[in-house]
Amino acid sequence: MNAGKQFNIAGCGNDVYTFEWGNYEDWRSVGPYIGTFGLDFRALAVDYRRDRYASAEAAQKDECRVDEDDFIAWMIERAILTPVQKTNSTIDFYYDSDNRYIPQHWPECPECRKGRGEQEYGDERRHLNRVVSLLRCTNCGNEWGHHEVANNPNLPMLGDDIAFPQ
Ligand SMILES: [Zn+2]
């Protein structure tokens, strides 16, 4: 069993402790617990064993099991350790699309005047090296500013008899 001191809570005289033991699939990690600064777990383990043996003797038991879980329970019973309530929250910055980054330097949407125009590409005419460039509003989805640009910017756009409808 490794008794790990995670960190000292500055100024209040307490430490935060975690414990781990076992190997592979038996590996256990418990905590954190708050206890007074610098607890001596070797000395406490001796007290714990003596205490449990004495209780077993008093009850005239034929066996007395001591283990890591029970040691921790014993320390909690005696208020040597106090369990800390853990709070789990999940925050997913990447997928939280309600709060995505929308650059304010993008053009303002002419429809809703709230969203910004995000560059998108539409219909492609690959044989003419042309693709439709447009702006799509991040708020209402309105599209505007359609015009054709070179699909491959390293090659010329090929001519077209049919003018692209604006
Ligand atoms: Zn809009």
Side-chain angles (χ1 to χ4, degrees), residues 108-117 136-144:
E108 187 183 79
C109 171
E111 284 293 317
C112 69
R113 304 208 171 275
K114 284 184 193 163
R116 301 283 159 170
R136 185 190 302 279
C137 176
T138 55
N139 179 55
C140 71
N142 170 47
E143 298 175 8
W144 75 98

Side-chain angles (χ1 to χ4, degrees), residues 83-114:
V84 177
Q85 196 71 42
K86 278 198 275 191
T87 304
N88 293 319
S89 37
T90 304
I91 298 165
D92 195 331
F93 288 102
Y94 193 77
Y95 292 105
D96 193 350
S97 58
D98 287 345
N99 293 303
R100 60 167 288 202
Y101 170 62
I102 296 169
Q104 295 303 298
H105 61 264
W106 288 356
E108 187 183 79
C109 171
E111 284 293 317
C112 69
R113 304 208 171 275
K114 284 184 193 163

Side-chain angles (χ1 to χ4, degrees), residues 1-7 15-20 30 33 41:
M1 179 188 219
N2 290 310
K5 186 177 84 173
Q6 272 200 322
F7 48 86
D15 275 338
V16 172
Y17 297 96
T18 58
F19 302 89
E20 52 193 55
V30 297
Y33 301 96
F41 292 104

Side-chain angles (χ1 to χ4, degrees), residues 63-150:
E63 285 181 32
C64 180
R65 243 184 93 82
V66 288
D67 63 25
E68 291 88 348
D69 279 309
D70 189 48
F71 177 41
I72 291 166
W74 179 86
M75 289 190 286
I76 293 168
E77 282 165 27
R78 276 152 192 76
I80 296 164
L81 294 179
T82 306
V84 177
Q85 196 71 42
K86 278 198 275 191
T87 304
N88 293 319
S89 37
T90 304
I91 298 165
D92 195 331
F93 288 102
Y94 193 77
Y95 292 105
D96 193 350
S97 58
D98 287 345
N99 293 303
R100 60 167 288 202
Y101 170 62
I102 296 169
Q104 295 303 298
H105 61 264
W106 288 356
E108 187 183 79
C109 171
E111 284 293 317
C112 69
R113 304 208 171 275
K114 284 184 193 163
R116 301 283 159 170
E118 181 170 20
Q119 173 70 63
E120 282 195 15
Y121 293 97
D123 292 337
E124 191 181 331
R125 295 195 291 171
R126 197 182 287 265
H127 62 293
L128 296 177
N129 191 35
R130 287 169 177 267
V131 65
V132 174
S133 166
L134 60 108
L135 296 173
R136 185 190 302 279
C137 176
T138 55
N139 179 55
C140 71
N142 170 47
E143 298 175 8
W144 75 98
H146 298 70
H147 64 286
E148 282 189 315
V149 296

